[in-house]
Amino acid sequence: MYIDSHCHINFPELAARMPEILARMAENKVSHALCVSVDLPEFPSVLALAEQYPHIYASVGVHPDYEDTPEPTVAQLVELADHPKVIAIGETGLDYYRLEGDLEWQRERFRTHIRASRETRKPLIIHTRSASEDTIRIMREEGAGTDKGGVAGVMHCFTESLEVAEAAIGMGFYISFSGIVTFKSAKDLQAVAKALPLDRILIETDSPYLAPVPFRGKMNEPGYVAHVAEYLATLKDVPLREIADRTTENFFNLFKAART
Ligand SMILES: [Zn+2]
Ligand SMILES: [Zn+2]
């Protein structure tokens, strides 16, 4: 069995095809999926899916790429996270690739999420792009990670260096690989995935984006996370079963609220 640790199946293009998406998950042995929130107005659609389907979980947070959206407060995130199916805070983080100019608001928003994670004891889902230095710095300043008495989390859709991965792992974080790792052009990322220990790795689709080979360029969906696992098994030269078991175990070790 596999778990898609990060997807956006509440987005209209996927939500409209839910029966088909759930059928493909079953067919590809994808037992669970974590539907990740990107803003507060759409959070109810994320929660509704988690309430409707026992094997779908939810997170609450506001994505760093969403500029014109209501800004969350710590209290608001804490309140919305107070639900048995909300197992994480995010996605949050920094993205200096998609947006330019004074991005202090992104850093403030990121701090808000880390504080909410510490208060709720629910793990962080961190998105970082072209901003790894500030991401790690703010994580340290706000006491994210188990080494500072905070809560761990996952660096999702990881595309950074081994150094950044190791810094996050040092703080008790997991590293999640998406379909990007299967792309021919992703040689550096493949080297990172090869080097990381199996007990720190998660797999995800980030669907509807970033479909893995052999579906690259098509609309992605949680069932395709099996292809990320297959790729990692070949890359790391371990049996596919081991990738499946270890990433599933890692998911439940990190997201403890998903166990009950
Ligand atoms: Zn992301
Ligand atoms: Zn995402």
Side-chain angles (χ1 to χ4, degrees):
M1 288 293 193
Y2 308 102
I3 298 183
D4 183 358
S5 70
H6 189 119
C7 65
H8 301 286
I9 48 175
N10 65 307
F11 286 7
E13 59 269 49
L14 289 177
R17 298 166 47 223
M18 202 51 71
E20 194 191 320
I21 280 162
L22 296 173
R24 181 124 48 204
M25 279 176 69
E27 194 184 304
N28 287 3
K29 300 191 165 55
V30 179
S31 61
H32 299 82
L34 171 48
C35 183
V36 174
S37 164
V38 293
D39 65 6
L40 295 182
E42 294 303 320
F43 173 69
S45 71
V46 174
L47 189 60
L49 286 172
E51 283 179 333
Q52 187 177 355
Y53 303 106
H55 62 312
I56 306 292
Y57 299 107
S59 75
V60 62
V62 183
H63 195 292
D65 285 346
Y66 287 58
E67 198 169 1
D68 299 312
T69 194
E71 200 58 44
T73 64
V74 175
Q76 230 172 347
L77 291 173
V78 168
E79 192 187 325
L80 293 171
D82 186 21
H83 184 290
K85 291 302 292 284
V86 177
I87 63 170
I89 304 292
E91 61 181 291
T92 181
L94 301 175
D95 192 330
Y96 298 168
Y97 181 82
R98 293 278 294 275
L99 296 175
E100 287 176 346
D102 181 8
L103 297 179
E104 185 54 29
W105 61 268
Q106 257 192 12
R107 292 184 283 273
E108 271 311 305
R109 183 184 289 175
F110 185 28
R111 291 180 192 278
T112 298
H113 284 78
I114 299 174
R115 289 168 194 167
S117 163
R118 286 184 64 107
E119 203 166 320
T120 58
R121 308 302 297 172
K122 292 190 177 180
L124 287 160
I125 300 170
I126 295 183
H127 169 114
T128 181
R129 197 157 178 214
S130 306
S132 59
E133 229 168 88
D134 279 3
T135 302
I136 298 287
R137 174 176 61 81
I138 291 174
M139 285 164 72
R140 290 209 170 104
E141 284 173 6
E142 294 293 336
T146 47
D147 59 333
K148 296 271 179 58
V151 185
V154 54
M155 307 302 278
H156 108 88
C157 196
F158 194 77
T159 53
E160 304 294 329
S161 65
L162 182 60
E163 218 182 340
V164 174
E166 283 171 345
I169 287 173
M171 299 162 88
F173 271 67
Y174 291 78
I175 306 296
S176 179
F177 293 99
S178 69
I180 292 178
V181 78
T182 71
F183 297 172
K184 263 208 175 80
S185 53
K187 294 282 176 260
D188 292 349
L189 184 62
Q190 288 156 6
V192 174
K194 202 172 162 69
L196 292 186
L198 274 181
D199 65 353
R200 288 285 123 188
I201 288 178
L202 294 178
I203 50 174
E204 66 170 89
T205 59
D206 207 9
S207 50
Y209 315 117
L210 300 168
V213 173
F215 302 107
R216 188 171 182 184
K218 303 219 172 83
M219 197 192 295
N220 200 2
E221 57 178 77
Y224 293 169
V225 82
H227 296 280
V228 177
E230 279 167 21
Y231 184 87
L232 287 176
T234 308
L235 178 76
K236 294 178 82 62
D237 196 23
V238 294
L240 180 56
R241 177 69 196 267
E242 196 171 344
I243 296 285
D245 290 352
R246 300 297 290 278
T247 54
T248 296
E249 200 180 298
N250 294 344
F251 180 90
F252 288 112
N253 278 340
L254 174 61
F255 300 112
K256 294 191 170 57
R259 278 196 213 147
T260 46

Coordinates of all heavy atoms in Angstrom, one line a residue, residues 85-128:
K85 N -9.9 15.0 11.7 CA -9.3 14.7 10.4 C -8.3 15.7 9.9 O -7.7 15.5 8.8 CB -10.5 14.5 9.3 CG -11.4 13.3 9.5 CD -10.7 12.0 9.5 CE -10.1 11.5 8.1 NZ -11.1 11.1 7.2
V86 N -8.1 16.8 10.6 CA -7.1 17.8 10.2 C -5.8 17.4 10.9 O -5.7 17.5 12.1 CB -7.5 19.2 10.6 CG1 -6.4 20.2 10.3 CG2 -8.8 19.6 9.9
I87 N -4.9 16.8 10.2 CA -3.7 16.2 10.8 C -2.4 17.0 10.6 O -1.4 16.6 11.1 CB -3.5 14.8 10.2 CG1 -3.2 14.8 8.7 CG2 -4.7 13.9 10.5 CD1 -2.7 13.5 8.1
A88 N -2.5 18.2 9.9 CA -1.3 18.9 9.7 C -1.6 20.4 9.5 O -2.8 20.8 9.2 CB -0.6 18.4 8.5
I89 N -0.6 21.2 9.7 CA -0.7 22.7 9.4 C 0.1 23.0 8.1 O 1.3 22.7 8.0 CB 0.0 23.5 10.6 CG1 -0.7 23.1 11.9 CG2 -0.1 25.0 10.3 CD1 -2.1 23.6 12.1
G90 N -0.6 23.6 7.1 CA 0.1 23.9 5.9 C -0.9 23.7 4.7 O -2.0 23.4 4.9
E91 N -0.4 24.0 3.4 CA 1.0 24.1 3.2 C 1.4 25.6 3.5 O 0.6 26.5 3.1 CB 1.4 23.6 1.9 CG 0.8 24.3 0.6 CD 1.3 23.6 -0.6 OE1 2.5 23.8 -1.0 OE2 0.5 23.0 -1.3
T92 N 2.6 25.7 4.0 CA 3.1 27.0 4.3 C 4.6 27.0 3.9 O 5.1 26.0 3.4 CB 3.0 27.3 5.8 OG1 3.6 28.6 6.1 CG2 3.8 26.2 6.6
G93 N 5.3 28.1 4.0 CA 6.7 28.2 3.6 C 7.0 29.4 2.9 O 6.3 30.5 3.1
L94 N 8.0 29.4 2.0 CA 8.5 30.5 1.3 C 8.7 30.2 -0.2 O 9.2 29.1 -0.5 CB 9.8 31.1 1.8 CG 9.8 31.5 3.3 CD1 11.2 31.8 3.7 CD2 8.9 32.6 3.6
D95 N 8.3 31.1 -1.1 CA 8.5 30.8 -2.5 C 8.9 32.1 -3.1 O 8.1 33.0 -3.4 CB 7.1 30.4 -3.1 CG 7.3 29.8 -4.5 OD1 8.3 30.3 -5.2 OD2 6.6 29.0 -5.0
Y96 N 10.3 32.2 -3.4 CA 10.8 33.4 -4.0 C 10.9 33.2 -5.5 O 11.4 34.1 -6.2 CB 12.2 33.7 -3.4 CG 12.3 34.0 -1.9 CD1 13.5 34.1 -1.3 CD2 11.1 34.3 -1.2 CE1 13.5 34.4 0.1 CE2 11.2 34.6 0.1 CZ 12.4 34.6 0.8 OH 12.4 34.9 2.1
Y97 N 10.5 32.1 -6.0 CA 10.5 31.8 -7.4 C 9.3 32.4 -8.1 O 9.4 33.1 -9.2 CB 10.6 30.3 -7.7 CG 10.7 29.9 -9.1 CD1 11.9 29.9 -9.8 CD2 9.5 29.5 -9.8 CE1 12.0 29.5 -11.1 CE2 9.6 29.1 -11.1 CZ 10.9 29.2 -11.8 OH 10.9 28.8 -13.1
R98 N 8.1 32.2 -7.6 CA 6.9 32.6 -8.2 C 6.6 34.0 -8.0 O 5.9 34.7 -8.8 CB 5.7 31.7 -7.7 CG 5.8 30.3 -8.1 CD 5.3 30.0 -9.5 NE 3.8 30.3 -9.5 CZ 2.9 29.4 -9.2 NH1 3.2 28.2 -8.8 NH2 1.6 29.7 -9.3
L99 N 7.0 34.6 -6.9 CA 6.7 36.0 -6.5 C 7.9 36.8 -6.3 O 8.9 36.3 -5.8 CB 5.8 36.0 -5.3 CG 4.4 35.4 -5.4 CD1 3.7 35.4 -4.0 CD2 3.5 36.1 -6.4
E100 N 7.8 38.1 -6.6 CA 9.0 39.0 -6.4 C 8.6 40.2 -5.6 O 7.4 40.3 -5.2 CB 9.5 39.5 -7.8 CG 10.2 38.4 -8.5 CD 10.6 38.8 -9.9 OE1 10.1 39.9 -10.4 OE2 11.5 38.1 -10.5
G101 N 9.6 41.0 -5.3 CA 9.3 42.3 -4.5 C 9.5 42.0 -3.0 O 10.2 41.0 -2.6
D102 N 8.9 42.8 -2.2 CA 9.1 42.7 -0.7 C 8.2 41.5 -0.3 O 6.9 41.7 -0.2 CB 8.7 44.0 0.0 CG 8.9 43.9 1.5 OD1 9.4 42.9 1.9 OD2 8.4 44.8 2.2
L103 N 8.8 40.5 0.1 CA 8.0 39.3 0.5 C 8.0 39.1 2.0 O 7.8 38.0 2.5 CB 8.6 38.0 -0.2 CG 8.5 38.1 -1.7 CD1 9.0 36.8 -2.3 CD2 7.0 38.3 -2.2
E104 N 8.1 40.2 2.8 CA 8.1 40.1 4.2 C 6.8 39.4 4.7 O 6.8 38.7 5.7 CB 8.3 41.5 4.9 CG 8.4 41.5 6.4 CD 9.4 40.6 7.0 OE1 10.4 40.3 6.3 OE2 9.2 40.1 8.1
W105 N 5.7 39.7 4.0 CA 4.4 39.1 4.3 C 4.4 37.6 4.3 O 3.8 36.9 5.1 CB 3.3 39.7 3.4 CG 3.4 39.4 2.0 CD1 4.1 40.2 1.0 CD2 3.0 38.2 1.3 NE1 4.0 39.6 -0.2 CE2 3.4 38.4 -0.1 CE3 2.3 37.1 1.6 CZ2 3.1 37.4 -1.1 CZ3 2.0 36.1 0.6 CH2 2.4 36.3 -0.7
Q106 N 5.2 37.1 3.3 CA 5.4 35.6 3.2 C 6.1 35.1 4.5 O 5.7 34.0 5.0 CB 6.2 35.2 2.0 CG 5.5 34.7 0.8 CD 6.4 34.1 -0.2 OE1 7.6 33.8 0.0 NE2 5.8 33.9 -1.4
R107 N 7.1 35.8 4.9 CA 7.8 35.3 6.1 C 7.0 35.4 7.3 O 7.0 34.5 8.2 CB 9.2 36.1 6.2 CG 10.1 35.8 5.1 CD 11.5 36.5 5.2 NE 11.4 37.9 4.9 CZ 11.6 38.4 3.6 NH1 11.8 37.6 2.6 NH2 11.5 39.7 3.4
E108 N 6.2 36.5 7.4 CA 5.3 36.6 8.6 C 4.3 35.5 8.6 O 3.9 34.9 9.6 CB 4.6 38.0 8.5 CG 5.4 39.1 9.2 CD 5.8 38.7 10.6 OE1 5.0 38.3 11.4 OE2 7.1 38.7 10.9
R109 N 3.7 35.2 7.4 CA 2.7 34.2 7.3 C 3.3 32.8 7.7 O 2.6 32.0 8.3 CB 2.2 34.1 5.9 CG 1.0 33.1 5.7 CD 0.6 33.1 4.2 NE -0.1 34.2 3.8 CZ -0.5 34.5 2.5 NH1 -0.2 33.6 1.6 NH2 -1.2 35.6 2.2
F110 N 4.5 32.6 7.3 CA 5.2 31.3 7.6 C 5.4 31.2 9.1 O 5.1 30.1 9.7 CB 6.6 31.3 6.9 CG 7.4 30.1 7.0 CD1 6.8 28.8 7.2 CD2 8.8 30.1 6.9 CE1 7.5 27.7 7.3 CE2 9.5 29.0 7.0 CZ 8.9 27.7 7.2
R111 N 5.8 32.3 9.8 CA 5.9 32.3 11.2 C 4.6 32.0 11.9 O 4.6 31.2 12.9 CB 6.5 33.7 11.7 CG 7.9 34.0 11.3 CD 8.3 35.3 11.8 NE 9.6 35.8 11.2 CZ 10.8 35.4 11.6 NH1 10.9 34.6 12.7 NH2 11.9 35.8 11.0
T112 N 3.5 32.5 11.4 CA 2.2 32.3 11.9 C 1.9 30.8 11.9 O 1.4 30.2 12.9 CB 1.1 33.0 11.1 OG1 1.4 34.4 11.2 CG2 -0.3 32.7 11.6
H113 N 2.2 30.1 10.8 CA 2.0 28.7 10.7 C 2.8 27.9 11.7 O 2.3 26.9 12.3 CB 2.2 28.2 9.3 CG 1.1 28.6 8.3 ND1 1.0 29.8 7.8 CD2 0.1 27.9 7.8 CE1 0.0 29.9 7.0 NE2 -0.6 28.7 7.0
I114 N 4.1 28.3 11.8 CA 4.9 27.5 12.8 C 4.4 27.6 14.2 O 4.4 26.7 14.9 CB 6.4 28.0 12.6 CG1 6.9 27.8 11.2 CG2 7.3 27.2 13.7 CD1 8.3 28.3 11.0
R115 N 3.9 28.8 14.5 CA 3.4 29.0 15.9 C 2.1 28.2 16.1 O 1.9 27.6 17.1 CB 3.1 30.5 16.1 CG 4.4 31.3 16.2 CD 4.2 32.8 16.2 NE 5.5 33.5 16.0 CZ 5.7 34.7 15.6 NH1 4.6 35.6 15.5 NH2 6.9 35.2 15.5
A116 N 1.3 28.1 15.0 CA 0.1 27.3 15.1 C 0.4 25.8 15.3 O -0.2 25.1 16.0 CB -0.8 27.5 13.9
S117 N 1.5 25.4 14.6 CA 1.9 24.0 14.7 C 2.4 23.7 16.1 O 2.1 22.6 16.6 CB 3.0 23.8 13.6 OG 3.7 22.6 13.9
R118 N 3.2 24.6 16.6 CA 3.6 24.4 18.0 C 2.5 24.3 19.0 O 2.5 23.5 19.9 CB 4.6 25.5 18.4 CG 6.0 25.4 17.8 CD 6.9 26.5 18.3 NE 7.2 26.3 19.7 CZ 8.3 25.9 20.2 NH1 9.3 25.5 19.4 NH2 8.5 25.7 21.5
E119 N 1.5 25.1 18.8 CA 0.4 25.2 19.7 C -0.5 23.9 19.6 O -1.0 23.4 20.6 CB -0.4 26.5 19.5 CG -1.3 26.9 20.7 CD -1.8 28.3 20.5 OE1 -1.1 29.2 20.1 OE2 -3.0 28.5 20.9
T120 N -0.7 23.5 18.4 CA -1.6 22.3 18.1 C -0.9 21.0 18.2 O -1.5 20.0 18.3 CB -2.3 22.4 16.7 OG1 -1.2 22.5 15.8 CG2 -3.2 23.6 16.6
R121 N 0.4 21.1 18.2 CA 1.3 19.9 18.1 C 1.0 19.1 16.8 O 1.2 17.9 16.8 CB 1.1 18.9 19.3 CG 1.2 19.6 20.7 CD 2.6 20.3 20.9 NE 3.7 19.4 20.9 CZ 5.0 19.8 20.9 NH1 5.2 21.1 21.0 NH2 6.0 19.0 20.9
K122 N 0.5 19.8 15.8 CA 0.3 19.1 14.5 C 1.4 19.5 13.5 O 1.9 20.6 13.5 CB -1.1 19.5 13.9 CG -2.2 18.9 14.8 CD -3.6 19.0 14.2 CE -4.5 18.2 15.1 NZ -5.9 18.2 14.7
P123 N 2.0 18.5 12.8 CA 3.2 18.7 12.0 C 2.9 19.8 10.8 O 1.8 20.0 10.4 CB 3.4 17.4 11.3 CG 2.7 16.4 12.2 CD 1.5 17.1 12.7
L124 N 4.1 20.4 10.4 CA 4.0 21.4 9.3 C 4.2 20.7 8.0 O 5.1 19.8 7.8 CB 5.2 22.3 9.6 CG 5.1 23.3 10.7 CD1 6.5 23.9 11.1 CD2 4.2 24.5 10.3
I125 N 3.5 21.2 7.0 CA 3.8 20.9 5.6 C 4.5 22.1 5.0 O 3.8 23.1 4.8 CB 2.5 20.5 4.8 CG1 1.8 19.3 5.5 CG2 2.8 20.2 3.4 CD1 0.4 19.1 5.0
I126 N 5.8 22.0 4.7 CA 6.5 23.2 4.2 C 6.8 23.1 2.7 O 7.4 22.1 2.2 CB 7.8 23.3 5.0 CG1 7.4 23.6 6.5 CG2 8.7 24.4 4.5 CD1 8.6 23.9 7.4
H127 N 6.5 24.2 2.1 CA 6.8 24.4 0.6 C 7.9 25.4 0.6 O 7.9 26.5 1.2 CB 5.5 25.0 0.0 CG 5.7 25.5 -1.4 ND1 5.0 24.9 -2.5 CD2 6.3 26.6 -1.9 CE1 5.3 25.6 -3.6 NE2 6.1 26.6 -3.2
T128 N 9.0 25.0 -0.1 CA 10.1 26.0 -0.2 C 10.7 26.0 -1.6 O 11.0 24.9 -2.1 CB 11.2 25.8 0.9 OG1 12.2 26.8 0.7 CG2 11.9 24.4 0.8

